Amino acid sequence: MNIGDWFNSAVNLVIGILLGWAAYKLIGLMTTAFWPVAILIPVLFLGVLLLDRGMDVVFERFFPSGVKPARNPPPKPVGRRLSLPLGLSIGLVVAWLGFGLPFLGAT
């Protein structure tokens, strides 16, 4: 792994921890009276994601970049591939143990 892979792994680990904490809180929201919000949040996220992908297709169609991706890119190192799932697991465990307030500034 080179320095860029280490940097990407660290960023993916932090993103995974935050996503794990958010997923735990979303699951907790499902057990309250605000369960419609817990369903609406992923639906709206999916809508924004589809809109973003659609805009990428439209802009690539009308304004092509001309850069083609490599046919057989080299595989990513194992540490880089496992950093996001590991961060997600750590985030879920940290939230389950109740450490959201000291580490993330939220309850």
Side-chain angles (χ1 to χ4, degrees), residues 40-52:
L40 189 64
I41 289 171
V43 169
L44 290 175
F45 175 76
L46 182 63
V48 169
L49 185 68
L50 289 175
L51 181 67
D52 179 58

Side-chain angles (χ1 to χ4, degrees), residues 39-83:
I39 293 173
L40 189 64
I41 289 171
V43 169
L44 290 175
F45 175 76
L46 182 63
V48 169
L49 185 68
L50 289 175
L51 181 67
D52 179 58
R53 299 294 176 172
M55 292 301 290
D56 284 344
V57 169
V58 168
F59 274 101
E60 186 63 33
R61 171 113 174 133
F62 291 113
F63 307 107
S65 64
V67 177
K68 303 280 189 217
R71 286 184 175 228
N72 294 324
K76 295 177 184 172
V78 174
R80 186 170 166 191
R81 284 186 284 159
L82 293 180
S83 59

Side-chain angles (χ1 to χ4, degrees), residues 64-104:
S65 64
V67 177
K68 303 280 189 217
R71 286 184 175 228
N72 294 324
K76 295 177 184 172
V78 174
R80 186 170 166 191
R81 284 186 284 159
L82 293 180
S83 59
L84 187 64
L86 180 66
L88 189 64
S89 303
I90 291 171
L92 285 171
V93 169
V94 164
W96 180 66
L97 292 175
F99 291 128
L101 182 63
F103 291 115
L104 301 172

